[in-house]
Every structure is written in C-alpha cells, then in structure tokens.
C-alpha cells in the first residue's frame, strides 16, 4: 500500500485486540517465544501496554508511544529469519481480525518497521557489507 490514507475502521479497540492476539502467538512460537521471554520475563503486561501505544501511534497517530524501538532491539542477536517469522505471524493475525483495507494498512506499516529495524541492526537484505574497522593512526608522538 503506497498511500498514507488510514482506513476508517481502525479503532483503539481493534489495535488492542490485534496486539494481544499477535503477542499470544509470539509467546507460543518456537522461534520467537524464547527471545521475548528472555528479554521480558515477567514484564509482559507492561510490554503489551507499550505495544498497544506503539501501534496506536503508528495506525492512528495518537502520539502515545514515546519509546525507542531501535534501542529496545539491540543485543538480541536477531537475524533476518526472526523478522520474517514476526511478519508472518503479524500478517496472519491482522488478516484474521481486520477488514482487508485495515489489514493491508497494518501489514504495510509492519513491513516498514521490520525493514527499518533490520537496517538499524545491520542485518537482513539491506545490511551494509562494511570492511572491518582499522585501528586509528596516531599522528603525534607519544
């Protein structure tokens, strides 16, 4: 979806339902579940509230989310396959719960978010193939 037009049937209630259903599936997923459990432990309620605020901001421009998604994903040893699985679960969830236009809108945003996170983490198809850093030269006598 190339348009920024938001479907009129997106509501806070629908976003909350999508987020809770999606993360129930993530928790049960053999690939993603252990990563989230290791990071969140007993803080699932806070994470879900944060993700509802995030998707409310993405989908409805509510401005409720104030976090730093790139920083939150640092140090997790994520790979492109993790994001592909995340997208697969998300697409399945919104396709089941949303009308076609709302699902297409949310899937578009999820794909953009996954791509941005992967670029920020330097993984996936758009990762930069940078040479190893060389030690800095010293231009003065010690």
């Amino acid at each position: 979806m190339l348009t920024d037009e938001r479907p009129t049937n997106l509501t806070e209630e629908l976003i909350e339902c999508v987020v809770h259903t999606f993360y129930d599936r993530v928790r049960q997923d053999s690939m993603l579940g252990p990563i989230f459990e290791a990071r969140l432990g007993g803080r699932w309620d806070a994470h879900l509230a944060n993700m509802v605020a995030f998707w409310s901001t993405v989908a409805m421009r509510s401005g409720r989310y104030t976090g730093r998604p790139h920083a939150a994903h640092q140090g997790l040893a994520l790979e492109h396959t993790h994001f592909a699985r995340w997208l697969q679960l998300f697409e399945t969830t919104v396709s089941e719960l949303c009308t076609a236009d709302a699902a297409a809108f949310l899937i578009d945003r999820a794909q953009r978010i996954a791509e941005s996170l992967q670029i920020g983490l330097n993984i996936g198809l758009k990762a930069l193939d940078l040479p190893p850093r060389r030690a800095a030269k010293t231009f003065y006598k010690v």
Side-chain angles (χ1 to χ4, degrees), residues 7-22 52 55-56 59-60 93-94 96-99 101-103 106:
T8 57
N9 56 359
L10 276 175
T11 64
E12 291 287 341
E13 293 79 16
L14 179 58
I15 290 168
E16 185 171 353
C17 180
V18 165
V19 167
H20 283 260
T21 303
F22 170 67
V52 170
W55 281 101
S56 171
M60 308 201 45
T93 302
V94 298
E96 291 172 4
L97 298 175
C98 301
T99 60
D101 59 335
L106 292 172

Side-chain angles (χ1 to χ4, degrees), residues 44-102:
W44 273 99
D45 289 341
H47 179 68
L48 290 172
N50 202 32
M51 291 299 93
V52 170
F54 175 82
W55 281 101
S56 171
T57 298
V58 168
M60 308 201 45
R61 297 183 177 164
S62 68
R64 292 180 23 218
Y65 180 76
T66 58
R68 297 175 44 217
H70 286 270
H73 291 84
Q74 293 290 330
L76 291 175
L78 297 173
E79 299 175 4
H80 176 71
T81 55
H82 295 113
F83 285 94
R85 181 65 180 148
W86 183 89
L87 281 169
Q88 181 183 37
L89 289 175
F90 189 83
E91 290 175 11
T92 299
T93 302
V94 298
S95 295
E96 291 172 4
L97 298 175
C98 301
T99 60
D101 59 335

